[in-house]
Amino acid sequence: SFDHGFQTVHRQRQYLVLGQAGRQEVGHDYRFETTEHTIGAGSVITLGASFFRDHEVRLTQVINRNTTDETRQYQGLNRDLGSDIRVTRLMWVERTLMAHQVAGTHVFPLLFNAELDWRYTHALAGRYEPDRREVRYDQEQGTNRWLLSDRPEGNQRLYSHLVEHNHDLGLDLRVPVPLWTNATALLKSGAAFNWRARKVDTRRYKFQHKGPLSGDSSIISQSPEEVFSPDHIQPQGFQFEEVTRETDNYTAAQHVVAGYAAVDVPLSPAWKLSAGLRVERGVQ
């Protein structure tokens, strides 16, 4: 499968604050315009083989990938500044999910037609954001001129990569047992094992205002491509620094081991007894 499309959304967002006499007042009032180009691609492949009539093995592969190319700009009144601001963001995100599974079903006629099912799945999930750029301009009070802002949310670039591996193994055994009442009880047992590991790598950078050039209105009123030119990246202008947070990066792991046993016993045409027990141990 493959598809892609474009979408533009306009919306207004207001942030309310508690003003005088306990009345709600509009703190920030922004108008958003977001344009997205989305691309989706995926495939499912299944192969299977049966042999000796009582045994079957299956192989399944699933791949799904979604990409979003987004341009967003919002503009409007900022209560803290007392005038309008304009924030532009360029973002590209790739999300991938890939899973491989091998599974089998086996019937043993010599053991009361006992049936054994097993499966192993390896899944890989990823999120890749190579270069998110965000730039903020503040409107100069009393004029129609926009100046590059030195506020924390402005002039940032972000790189982020997430990878997660998931291994899943399961076994299920069902054994029909004939009873003295010409009925058949069903004994069931099984085990499951799951291992999951995730790693996130994120880095943030910012053009810091360092020298007199970074405050020159004739410079910071230009477009970002002109402001952040090589001539202005210097001790007297802007310096490109890393501002990665301590909470941006982490590793995580989860391990789950489980087992169960159950029995279904028909007592009469209208009554059946079902009982079971499941034990699970998980560490995260």
Side-chain angles (χ1 to χ4, degrees):
S1 64
F2 175 82
D3 66 84
H4 79 103
F6 293 87
Q7 176 178 259
T8 299
V9 177
H10 299 266
R11 71 180 188 274
Q12 184 175 9
R13 179 181 295 175
Q14 293 183 333
Y15 300 82
L16 302 180
V17 297
L18 200 62
Q20 296 180 353
R23 296 178 180 178
Q24 287 188 337
E25 300 177 358
V26 176
H28 306 319
D29 187 357
Y30 299 139
R31 296 173 302 279
F32 284 77
E33 179 178 331
T34 304
T35 299
E36 286 186 347
H37 179 202
T38 56
I39 304 171
S43 68
V44 179
I45 301 174
T46 301
L47 302 174
S50 299
F51 48 96
F52 302 121
R53 297 189 304 175
D54 299 318
H55 304 276
E56 180 181 300
V57 176
R58 301 174 302 278
L59 176 64
T60 304
Q61 177 174 287
V62 178
I63 300 176
N64 189 25
R65 179 165 182 162
N66 292 296
T67 302
T68 302
D69 184 8
E70 179 187 279
T71 300
R72 187 189 77 174
Q73 184 177 91
Y74 67 87
Q75 178 177 328
L77 175 65
N78 182 279
R79 183 187 179 99
D80 299 331
L81 186 66
S83 62
D84 285 5
I85 68 170
R86 184 172 62 207
V87 180
T88 303
R89 183 176 74 182
L90 304 177
M91 184 176 70
W92 174 282
V93 179
E94 300 173 7
R95 299 176 179 88
T96 303
L97 174 63
M98 187 163 48
H100 312 274
Q101 183 186 74
V102 57
T105 300
H106 309 275
V107 179
F108 304 96
L110 298 180
L111 297 175
F112 306 105
N113 285 320
E115 183 176 315
L116 174 66
D117 290 331
W118 58 271
R119 64 193 178 277
Y120 168 71
T121 305
H122 171 239
L124 173 65
R127 184 186 185 277
Y128 179 52
E129 188 174 359
D131 188 6
R132 184 205 302 175
R133 310 177 199 179
E134 196 160 84
V135 179
R136 170 176 163 173
Y137 281 80
D138 297 339
Q139 187 177 28
E140 190 177 32
Q141 294 188 0
T143 71
N144 291 323
R145 188 165 62 168
W146 294 86
L147 302 178
L148 184 73
S149 174
D150 61 350
R151 298 299 177 97
E153 68 270 24
N155 320 324
Q156 290 197 30
R157 302 181 76 161
L158 180 142
Y159 302 79
S160 180
H161 192 199
L162 179 150
V163 176
E164 178 175 306
H165 290 271
N166 186 65
H167 300 270
D168 185 80
L169 176 64
L171 299 169
D172 295 287
L173 177 64
R174 291 180 292 274
V175 182
V177 179
L179 299 178
W180 56 88
T181 58
N182 294 325
T184 302
L186 183 62
L187 303 179
K188 297 180 288 185
S189 65
F193 309 89
N194 182 266
W195 300 269
R196 177 180 297 179
R198 173 184 291 188
K199 181 179 180 181
V200 177
D201 183 17
T202 301
R203 303 188 74 174
R204 300 176 188 265
Y205 298 90
K206 181 176 174 61
F207 290 98
Q208 301 281 13
H209 295 238
K210 291 292 186 178
L213 292 179
S214 64
D216 189 338
S217 59
S218 64
I219 295 177
I220 61 176
S221 61
Q222 301 176 8
S223 67
E225 291 78 11
E226 296 171 310
V227 174
F228 303 127
S229 64
D231 292 339
H232 302 151
I233 308 299
Q234 53 164 296
Q236 299 302 314
F238 297 92
Q239 294 186 24
F240 194 58
E241 297 182 355
E242 184 168 2
V243 290
T244 303
R245 304 167 186 167
E246 293 184 356
T247 55
D248 281 337
N249 301 284
Y250 68 90
T251 58
Q254 184 184 51
H255 310 283
V256 178
V257 180
Y260 76 93
V263 59
D264 291 336
V265 180
L267 302 179
S268 70
W271 293 89
K272 180 175 71 171
L273 173 65
S274 295
L277 175 67
R278 175 183 170 90
V279 178
E280 180 177 300
R281 182 179 187 271
V283 178
Q284 179 170 295

